[in-house]
Amino acid sequence: NAGVTQTPKFQVLKTGQSMTLQCAQDMNHEYMSWYRQDPGMGLRLIHYSVGAGITDQGEVPNGYNVSRSTTEDFPLRLLSAAPSQTSVYFCASSSRLFTDTQYFGPGTRLTVL
Amino acid sequence: QKEVEQDPGPLSVPEGAIVSLNCTYSNSAFQYFMWYRQYSRKGPELLMYTYSSGNKEDGRFTAQVDKSSKYISLFIRDSQPSDSATYLCAMSDRDNYGQNFVFGPGTRLSVLP
């Protein structure tokens, strides 16, 4: 049981490049979320999903796309990377709502030059 | 004013001390209150979860919620060096869980042997 896995662990992009951050969970959780964590600002919700085929926006969705074709996977796409998207990205999953225990992945450290 | 504010830290205490970590919030609709612990370069993990006002105890950890004052606290008794981490409060309005799940910025705690 691997829990929540994220790849890559580190990534450096140039402004304007696109990429996909991968997230997978093996706990059969319905709810999955993406957060970004910046110094002094805590974790901010980017997008979330309440089940396969259903996604919605969080607090800071601009510049990011998501899709959920399977229960296990919830990739986050950066469409045209900007320096403001330099951050640590965490994926999380839970069996019910956010108020249930969320299990976080180890994070992806992204730098946009 | 930020929606959730947390004592800035960093906080350094000697081993065995009682630690008090606090958050204040402005949204009276929050009903679910959580404390997460985050070790350096790791994802957050849920420590405590409470609903509405009151106290909850789990081993050396006690969470308190005072909704009338919009104030929550986490107490750590007999603190250990292994408690050294960043502590994040989080709260949610269940009726609007997508856009209204908010983390505080975190307090970094160091417990010195």
Side-chain angles (χ1 to χ4, degrees):
Chain A
N1 189 339
V4 179
T5 58
Q6 290 183 239
T7 56
K9 286 189 167 55
F10 302 94
Q11 184 70 48
V12 179
L13 292 178
K14 294 181 179 177
T15 297
Q17 287 184 317
S18 63
M19 79 159 295
T20 299
L21 308 184
Q22 301 292 343
C23 174
Q25 52 94 6
D26 61 0
M27 296 174 280
N28 202 32
H29 285 166
E30 289 297 319
Y31 293 84
M32 296 186 74
S33 315
W34 276 102
Y35 296 87
R36 59 178 289 173
Q37 186 172 35
D38 302 293
M41 300 195 69
L43 287 128
R44 291 182 291 168
L45 182 64
I46 304 172
H47 286 286
Y48 68 100
S49 169
V50 300
I54 307 170
T55 64
D56 206 347
Q57 296 180 350
E59 181 186 353
V60 289
N62 292 342
Y64 307 96
N65 268 0
V66 292
S67 60
R68 183 103 179 266
S69 56
T70 67
T71 299
E72 294 77 22
D73 300 299
F74 190 42
L76 178 73
R77 281 182 289 278
L78 278 71
L79 308 172
S80 176
S84 60
Q85 293 179 304
T86 293
S87 187
V88 181
Y89 291 84
F90 289 100
C91 178
S93 75
S94 59
S95 57
R96 294 166 66 186
L97 296 173
F98 294 114
T99 51
D100 202 351
T101 301
Q102 288 197 79
Y103 295 88
F104 283 81
T108 294
R109 293 182 175 270
L110 176 68
T111 301
V112 182
L113 302 175
Chain B
Q1 181 190 9
K2 291 183 181 176
E3 199 165 16
V4 177
E5 305 213 32
Q6 201 168 346
D7 288 353
L11 182 63
S12 291
V13 301
E15 183 176 355
I18 296 174
V19 177
S20 171
L21 303 167
N22 309 293
C23 284
T24 58
Y25 62 95
S26 57
N27 188 344
S28 58
F30 287 141
Q31 301 179 65
Y32 297 85
F33 304 92
M34 289 139 277
W35 286 96
Y36 282 80
R37 177 175 62 195
Q38 185 177 22
Y39 291 114
S40 181
R41 296 185 175 265
K42 300 287 187 187
E45 56 180 338
L46 182 68
L47 266 182
M48 301 283 287
Y49 158 66
T50 54
Y51 170 70
S52 194
S53 286
N55 293 359
K56 185 173 184 178
E57 188 173 321
D58 184 1
R60 296 184 295 110
F61 298 91
T62 300
Q64 286 186 353
V65 174
D66 182 349
K67 288 189 70 179
S68 62
S69 302
K70 297 191 183 70
Y71 190 88
I72 69 171
S73 300
L74 178 71
F75 297 96
I76 307 174
R77 290 185 299 280
D78 187 25
S79 55
Q80 304 294 310
S82 58
D83 295 328
S84 297
T86 296
Y87 290 80
L88 305 161
C89 63
M91 44 200 78
S92 169
D93 167 6
R94 187 178 185 134
D95 292 335
N96 190 21
Y97 55 80
Q99 283 72 33
N100 225 8
F101 182 82
V102 184
F103 278 87
T107 299
R108 194 165 72 208
L109 171 67
S110 294
V111 181
L112 307 174

